[in-house]
């Protein structure tokens, strides 16, 4: 009954394990509130159909009721500028002050203890502390101030170094182990006369691993009982970064009275965004120094003389200009929705921990058919207790040979399955280095190799540069766990799926529930688990289809077998249908005019089939003799667009900039006729743009492998994408779906060149290809670039011979 009441969509799942999950984690507090399920059921029906959202540490989602009630509020009431005194402005002022009180109430404190300073987010709050803290340089009588921070801190905390570097302030990174290991008893009277202010910053919860650091560190540092405070005289203040912690955990500032507490509201509620706050203890406020003063922050000042008196109210003094009052008013409804749907942060903490622990137990026990573990999990605990572990699971996946799988590959496949997660280092280099074993020198070497924060270079010399993170929120469900784990099993596990029974038993013993081991084992195996101790070790020389297809030994592959080119496809407009040809010129960027155009929406954002599936129904064709691009779609009159505009473009053909796969490209608008045609067919404002002929876009660093030609059109990765028919043919039927025919699979792969290889996956080992008279280099995977074109009139033709060289 509980399955059908809470999750009616689970009744047809092939893995009906929800009751098993409740048996294991019911005491962990899985939220069983009908209102929550109904509200998010409507939300998912309207907006999130088919989406598994697992990036709540990035931003959580907002419920439909929140937006609906906020809309009703601003449609009913008139809110004016709070710096005025008219009725609408007084309404705004009073509502904003009420929200300040609700924020303090949420953290179990009062206006007598703390002040709320609204900022644009947690980063702005940290910057405010950095710029206003009373840093002191060394003097003959007293030492310099120290800025000490845990190495497991967000970039925005470490960035405080940039403010203090010129002030003579000591910057000291502290590893998590040092805080308690180097603690010592200090005579509190010793150095009591020293008034040098020091600041220690640490996160209540790591945004990388979800580790929760003891909130008792606040008093321990303030009392100089913990390192580094025990080693330095002076007054110690604590900044507790609550940005990650506050999203799923209760924080009691009566018990843990940090001097500064920054956080962002979008991580707690999903809406509004662009709004955060800094909570400042009132007995600390007088120490802060502020230089710039904006509107609303002055009690009095003179324009013609250097005279300024700050506002007496702490919040008014630090909130320059008009606050984002409508966003603040939205917080009223955010708090209402949170409590109505969940009952409070204690329940949210238990709910999200239960889902995270369940996912951890299964993922950490999952093994390939040869017994090799599937995941390397980065954590300091085994998820035994919600007081020490948050709703974050960080890991990298490994293949059946124990080699790391790049996080970028996981991210791209997850996107195809509509699973939203996050990859990289998550703006926490310290934790990333610690867990991945990346030294300072390696970080610098990776930079020289072309890897920068936020790019997709996930492996350098076979070692990961980052990882994968999934995180849960109060609206996360058991089905989200199932979808993610099934995705891992389907795409990355060599079949048959196996589990580490000993580890499962040990993890099970950490909970009070009994009899649930088999439930965990059957989750991914349809009731037929294989155990590691029963396995037959597979050969490490197998090349395996990740979806469970047949294995082909490398020794069985032919190194000198002839292949032919069977199909040529060009995709004139990115994400639209293919245009098949039998022979086609090779241009400087690849096949001539391949992905030379793209469709953008009214906000100039590139549309793809994930955002707009109807793009696949647009059939562009290129006619070289007439220099035209023909657009066709069912129910629409065909139109022609010139391939090139030789004259000076009119205003409607303006030059603009757009983003393609993270690259900024210069484009030219193709005019109003094409825009009207696309807008009518797609049912939204659209425009057709093409890459500017004067603009050069190169392959990302790390992919070139010293290739001679790296210029790209609007493609994602490289000039050409190939597919081997033999690899496509090697597909097996699942229990629920009939296999697709080969041609349909090739069409879905959207390759430029289709070859008739002799063996499946032999292309994995190719380093060079010769098709006809054109030479290609394999850059990575199934992506090609052509080498220097000896003949400017080079052409590829169906039936041409294909010769390969092995790497």
């Amino acid at each position: 009954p509980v399955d059908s009441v809470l999750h009616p969509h689970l009744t047809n799942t092939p893995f009906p394990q929800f009751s098993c999950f409740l048996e294991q984690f019911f005491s962990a507090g899985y939220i069983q509130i009908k209102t929550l399920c109904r509200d998010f059921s409507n939300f998912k029906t309207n907006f999130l159909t088919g989406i598994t959202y697992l990036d709540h540490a990035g931003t959580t989602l907002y419920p439909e009721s929140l937006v609906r009630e906020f809309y009703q509020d601003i449609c009913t009431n008139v809110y004016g500028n709070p710096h005025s005194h008219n009725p609408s402005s007084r309404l705004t002022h009073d509502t904003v002050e009420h929200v300040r009180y609700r924020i303090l109430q949420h953290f179990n404190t009062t206006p007598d203890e703390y002040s709320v300073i609204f900022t644009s987010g947690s980063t702005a709050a940290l910057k405010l502390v950095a710029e206003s803290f009373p840093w002191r340089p060394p003097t003959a009588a007293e030492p310099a101030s120290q800025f000490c921070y845990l190495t497991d801190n967000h970039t925005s905390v470490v960035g405080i170094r940039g403010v203090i570097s010129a002030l003579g302030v000591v910057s000291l990174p502290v590893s998590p182990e040092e805080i308690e290991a180097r603690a010592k008893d200090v005579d509190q009277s010793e150095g009591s006369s020293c008034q040098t202010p020091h600041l220690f910053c640490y996160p209540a919860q790591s945004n990388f691993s979800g580790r929760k650091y003891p909130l008792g560190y606040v008093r321990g540092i303030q009392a100089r009982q913990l390192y580094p405070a025990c080693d330095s005289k002076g007054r110690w203040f604590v900044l507790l970064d609550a940005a990650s912690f506050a999203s799923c955990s209760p924080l009691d500032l009566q018990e843990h009275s940090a001097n500064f507490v920054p956080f962002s509201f979008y991580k707690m509620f999903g809406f509004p965004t662009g709004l955060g706050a800094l909570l400042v203890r009132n007995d600390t406020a007088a120490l802060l120094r502020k230089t710039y003063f904006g509107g609303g922050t002055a009690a009095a000042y003179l324009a013609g003389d250097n005279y300024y008196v700050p506002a007496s109210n702490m919040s008014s003094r630090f909130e320059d200009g008009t606050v984002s009052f409508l966003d603040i008013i939205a917080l009223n409804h955010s708090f209402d929705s949170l409590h109505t749907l969940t009952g409070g942060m204690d329940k949210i903490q238990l709910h999200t921990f239960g889902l995270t622990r369940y996912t951890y137990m299964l993922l950490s026990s999952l093994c390939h058919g040869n017994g090799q573990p599937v995941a390397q999990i980065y954590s300091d605990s085994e998820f035994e207790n919600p007081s020490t572990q948050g709703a974050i699971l960080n890991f990298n996946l490994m293949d059946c040979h124990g080699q790391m799988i790049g996080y970028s590959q996981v991210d791209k496949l997850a996107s195809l399955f509509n699973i939203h997660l996050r990859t990289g280092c998550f703006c926490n280099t310290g934790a990333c280095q610690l867990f991945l074993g990346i030294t300072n020198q390696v970080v610098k070497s990776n930079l020289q190799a072309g890897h920068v924060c936020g790019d997709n270079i996930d492996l350098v010399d076979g070692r990961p540069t980052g990882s994968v993170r999934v995180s849960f929120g109060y609206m996360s469900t058991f089905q989200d766990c199932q979808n993610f784990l099934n995705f891992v099993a389907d795409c990355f596990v060599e079949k048959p799926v196996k589990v580490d029974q000993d580890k499962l038993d040990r993890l099970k013993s950490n909970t009070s529930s009994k009899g649930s081991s088999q439930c965990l084992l059957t989750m991914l195996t349809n009731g037929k688990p294989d155990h590691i101790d029963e396995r037959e070790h597979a050969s490490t020389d197998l090349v395996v289809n990740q979806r469970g297809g047949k294995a082909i030994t490398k020794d069985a592959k032919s190194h000198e077998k002839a292949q032919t080119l069977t199909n040529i496809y060009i995709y004139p407009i990115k994400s639209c249908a293919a245009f098949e040809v039998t022979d086609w010129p090779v241009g400087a960027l690849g096949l001539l005019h391949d992905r030379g155009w793209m469709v953008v929406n009214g906000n100039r954002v590139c549309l793809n089939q994930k955002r707009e599936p109807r793009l696949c129904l647009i059939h562009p064709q290129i006619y070289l003799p007439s220099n035209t691009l023909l657009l066709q779609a069912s129910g629409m009159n065909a139109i022609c667009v010139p391939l090139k505009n030789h004259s000076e473009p009119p205003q409607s053909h303006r030059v603009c900039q757009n983003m393609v796969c993270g690259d900024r490209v210069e484009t030219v608008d193709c005019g109003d006729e094409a825009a009207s045609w696309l807008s009518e067919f797609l049912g939204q404002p659209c425009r057709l743009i093409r890459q500017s002929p004067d603009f050069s876009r190169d392959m990302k660093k790390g992919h070139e492998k010293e290739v001679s030609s790296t210029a790209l059109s609007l493609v994602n990765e490289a000039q050409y994408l190939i597919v081997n028919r033999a690899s496509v043919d090697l597909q097996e039927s699942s229990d629920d779906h009939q296999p697709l025919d080969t041609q349909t699979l090739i069409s879905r792969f959207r390759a430029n060149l289709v070859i008739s290889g002799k063996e499946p996956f032999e292309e994995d080992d190719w380093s060079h290809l010769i098709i006809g008279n054109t030479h290609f280099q394999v850059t990575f995977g199934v992506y090609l670039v052509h080498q220097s074109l000896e003949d400017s009139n080079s052409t590829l033709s169906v039936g041409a011979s294909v010769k390969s060289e092995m790497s």
Side-chain angles (χ1 to χ4, degrees):
V2 72
D3 287 20
S4 58
V5 170
L6 283 178
H7 298 278
H9 57 288
L10 293 185
T11 54
N12 295 323
T13 178
F15 307 123
Q17 304 293 326
F18 185 60
S19 57
C20 240
F21 165 76
L22 287 181
E23 177 188 351
Q24 180 78 8
F25 296 103
F26 183 85
S27 61
Y30 188 87
I31 292 178
Q32 300 182 66
I33 302 174
K34 295 180 181 179
T35 308
L36 171 64
C37 297
R38 181 172 62 251
D39 194 72
F40 275 95
S41 175
N42 293 338
F43 183 77
K44 288 195 173 188
T45 298
N46 295 333
F47 302 104
L48 295 175
T49 303
I51 292 177
T52 301
Y53 187 84
L54 296 173
D55 189 23
H56 293 273
T59 181
T60 197
L61 302 177
Y62 48 86
E64 184 181 30
S65 58
L66 190 167
V67 181
R68 185 175 57 248
E69 290 163 9
F70 175 56
Y71 171 76
Q72 184 66 30
D73 185 351
I74 60 177
C75 287
T76 304
N77 297 294
V78 177
Y79 292 105
N81 190 311
H83 290 164
S84 300
H85 295 284
N86 56 62
S88 61
S89 298
R90 292 308 306 173
L91 177 61
T92 301
H93 175 273
D94 293 345
T95 307
V96 168
E97 292 309 304
H98 175 66
V99 171
R100 291 189 204 274
Y101 176 78
R102 292 197 72 173
I103 293 168
L104 295 174
Q105 185 182 46
H106 181 79
F107 292 107
N108 193 33
T109 187
T110 68
D112 294 332
E113 300 291 331
Y114 280 87
S115 294
V116 178
I117 301 172
F118 287 113
T119 66
S120 63
S122 182
T123 295
L126 290 162
K127 187 170 182 283
L128 188 155
V129 174
E131 294 174 341
S132 59
F133 190 81
W135 308 106
R136 291 187 188 177
T139 66
E142 294 188 344
S145 294
Q146 293 187 43
F147 165 55
C148 304
Y149 58 93
L150 212 62
T151 51
D152 185 1
N153 251 315
H154 193 277
T155 302
S156 298
V157 173
V158 182
I160 294 176
R161 292 188 322 208
V163 174
I164 67 170
S165 59
L167 302 179
V169 176
V170 177
S171 180
L172 178 66
V174 179
S175 68
E177 296 75 21
E178 290 181 293
I179 297 179
E180 296 183 44
R182 299 180 63 177
K184 58 186 179 183
D185 292 331
V186 176
D187 184 351
Q188 294 301 309
S189 63
E190 178 187 346
S192 58
S193 61
C194 179
Q195 295 299 302
T196 299
H198 308 291
L199 182 64
F200 179 74
C201 304
Y202 82 100
Q205 175 179 294
S206 169
N207 73 310
F208 184 93
S209 65
R211 175 182 177 178
K212 291 183 179 179
Y213 289 96
L215 296 176
Y217 284 176
V218 172
R219 294 191 186 278
I221 292 292
Q222 291 168 340
R224 294 184 57 214
Q225 295 172 344
L226 297 173
Y227 179 81
C230 60
D231 278 0
S232 300
K233 302 175 183 178
R235 301 176 62 190
W236 280 88
F237 300 87
V238 175
L239 184 152
L240 181 68
D241 181 4
S244 179
F245 182 90
S247 62
C248 293
S249 304
L251 176 59
D252 186 344
L253 291 181
Q254 287 284 352
E255 180 69 22
H256 310 289
S257 301
N259 302 93
F260 309 100
V261 183
F263 56 91
S264 294
F265 291 106
Y266 69 90
K267 292 183 183 290
M268 298 170 61
F269 306 120
F271 179 85
T273 60
L275 184 67
L278 176 67
L279 305 187
V280 182
R281 234 169 65 176
N282 290 334
D283 59 5
T284 305
L287 294 174
L288 300 182
R289 302 167 179 169
K290 188 167 182 286
T291 53
Y292 175 81
F293 58 94
T297 65
Y301 78 96
L302 293 174
D305 196 3
N306 189 19
Y307 178 78
Y308 161 71
V309 178
S312 59
N313 179 273
M314 176 68 179
S315 300
S316 298
R317 194 187 317 159
F318 282 89
E319 291 171 352
D320 292 304
T322 303
V323 294
S324 185
F325 55 88
L326 288 182
D327 287 329
I328 294 171
I329 291 168
L331 290 178
N332 230 1
H333 305 286
S334 300
F335 280 113
D336 287 343
S337 293
L338 186 79
H339 289 283
T340 299
L341 296 175
T342 71
M345 297 304 298
D346 291 313
K347 291 183 178 180
I348 291 174
Q349 176 175 251
L350 294 174
H351 168 79
T352 54
F353 175 74
L355 294 171
T356 311
R357 172 165 165 73
Y358 181 72
T359 307
Y360 164 78
M361 291 178 69
L362 286 169
L363 185 63
S364 64
S365 303
L366 198 59
C367 295
H368 293 282
N370 63 357
Q372 287 283 347
V374 170
Q376 171 70 57
I377 294 179
Y378 304 117
S379 174
D380 295 294
S381 73
E382 290 191 331
F383 293 68
E384 304 97 336
N385 195 316
S387 66
T388 58
Q389 178 63 46
I392 291 174
L393 182 59
N394 196 308
F395 60 93
N396 270 316
L397 297 179
M398 299 179 289
D399 64 20
C400 59
H401 309 301
Q403 299 299 309
M404 288 291 181
I405 298 172
Y407 61 75
S408 186
Q409 180 179 346
V410 178
D411 194 15
K412 290 176 181 177
L413 275 175
S415 296
L416 294 177
F417 282 75
N418 234 341
I419 295 175
H420 299 203
L421 41 76
R422 185 162 174 183
T423 59
C425 272
F426 322 105
C427 296
N428 191 332
T429 298
C432 190
Q433 284 188 256
L434 175 67
F435 282 108
L436 275 63
I438 303 174
T439 65
N440 293 348
Q441 184 56 47
V442 169
V443 171
K444 297 173 183 178
S445 299
N446 288 349
L447 178 63
Q448 293 176 347
H451 170 57
V452 297
C453 291
D455 67 16
N456 61 357
I457 300 178
D458 47 20
L459 297 172
V460 175
D461 297 328
R463 296 177 61 87
T465 61
S467 57
V468 183
R469 184 184 75 184
V470 297
S471 49
F472 298 89
Y474 70 84
M475 69 294 301
S476 298
T477 66
F478 172 70
Q479 186 62 44
D480 294 330
C481 303
Q482 291 274 52
N483 293 344
F484 166 71
L485 291 164
N486 285 334
F487 157 70
V488 173
D490 286 346
C491 296
F492 296 101
V493 181
E494 179 199 48
K495 307 306 182 290
V497 176
K498 295 190 176 184
V499 293
D500 186 334
Q501 181 65 53
D502 291 338
K503 185 166 188 175
L504 266 179
D505 289 342
R506 179 167 53 79
L507 292 174
K508 180 176 69 71
S509 68
N510 291 333
T511 67
S512 58
S513 299
K514 296 181 179 180
S516 54
S517 175
Q518 186 65 24
C519 174
L520 295 173
L521 288 170
T522 58
M523 187 274 181
L524 292 176
T525 55
N526 278 325
K528 300 175 182 178
D530 284 304
H531 306 303
I532 288 180
D533 55 358
E534 299 171 359
R535 68 182 182 269
E536 295 180 4
H537 292 282
S539 167
T540 57
D541 292 326
L542 294 181
V543 177
V544 183
N545 176 2
Q546 289 182 334
R547 289 191 176 273
K550 298 176 182 177
I552 299 93
T553 61
K554 290 185 178 180
D555 292 340
K557 289 187 175 183
S558 171
H559 289 254
E560 296 184 0
K561 292 187 177 181
Q563 300 97 9
T564 58
L565 180 64
T566 64
N567 302 85
I568 301 173
Y569 299 98
I570 63 171
Y571 302 84
I573 303 177
K574 188 177 178 69
S575 294
C576 290
F579 175 38
E580 185 173 7
V581 294
T582 55
D583 54 80
W584 199 256
V586 174
L589 308 183
L591 290 171
L592 191 62
H593 300 306
D594 180 55
R595 289 154 171 117
W597 292 262
M598 65 181 180
V599 180
V600 295
N601 66 12
N603 294 322
R604 311 295 296 190
V605 175
C606 176
L607 291 179
N608 54 35
Q609 289 188 23
K610 298 185 188 72
R611 293 188 174 117
E612 180 48 79
R614 284 173 59 82
L615 284 172
C616 68
L617 303 177
I618 299 175
H619 295 268
Q621 295 184 8
I622 289 180
Y623 292 91
L624 294 177
S626 59
N627 193 41
T628 56
L629 168 68
L630 181 70
L631 300 185
Q632 304 174 96
S634 178
M636 299 287 292
N637 294 325
I639 64 168
C640 291
V641 178
L643 294 183
K644 296 180 181 178
N645 296 314
H646 297 289
S647 59
E648 184 71 20
Q651 180 63 29
S652 62
H653 290 56
R654 59 188 180 275
V655 175
C656 50
Q657 288 193 339
N658 294 86
M659 299 296 292
V660 175
C661 294
D663 295 336
R664 190 173 298 279
V665 297
E666 188 175 288
T667 59
V668 178
D669 192 288
C670 294
D672 294 337
E673 183 184 9
S676 298
W677 191 93
L678 289 168
S679 300
E680 180 182 349
F681 181 72
L682 296 176
Q684 62 171 304
C686 298
R687 299 199 73 85
L688 181 68
I689 61 176
R690 65 178 175 86
Q691 184 169 331
S692 173
D694 300 324
F695 178 80
S696 177
R697 174 188 173 221
D698 291 331
M699 290 177 61
K700 291 182 174 65
K701 289 184 178 181
H703 292 329
E704 307 96 326
K705 294 185 179 179
E706 299 182 357
V707 297
S708 57
S709 176
T710 61
L712 300 180
S713 61
L714 300 177
V715 295
N716 288 353
E717 302 285 356
Q719 293 173 342
Y720 305 85
L721 180 62
I722 65 167
V723 64
N724 177 4
R725 282 186 175 273
S727 301
V728 177
D729 287 337
L730 192 67
Q731 59 150 330
E732 294 183 354
S733 173
S734 68
D735 294 336
D736 305 305
H737 304 285
Q738 292 299 316
L740 298 171
D741 63 89
T742 298
Q743 191 56 46
T744 299
L745 283 175
I746 289 175
S747 299
R748 290 189 173 191
F749 193 67
R750 296 179 65 80
N752 296 111
L753 309 175
V754 183
I755 61 169
S756 60
K758 298 297 183 181
E759 299 288 351
F761 309 116
E762 62 179 311
E763 64 272 19
D764 290 349
D765 296 322
W766 291 347
S767 61
H768 293 81
L769 281 180
I770 302 175
I771 302 178
N773 296 320
T774 306
H775 293 245
F776 298 87
Q777 183 171 347
V778 180
T779 59
F780 54 106
V782 288
Y783 294 101
L784 308 177
V785 297
H786 56 239
Q787 295 179 299
S788 298
L789 298 176
E790 299 177 2
D791 183 0
S792 60
N793 296 318
S794 180
T795 299
L796 293 179
S797 301
V798 169
S801 63
V802 178
K803 298 179 181 179
S804 61
E805 296 180 15
M806 310 294 281
S807 56

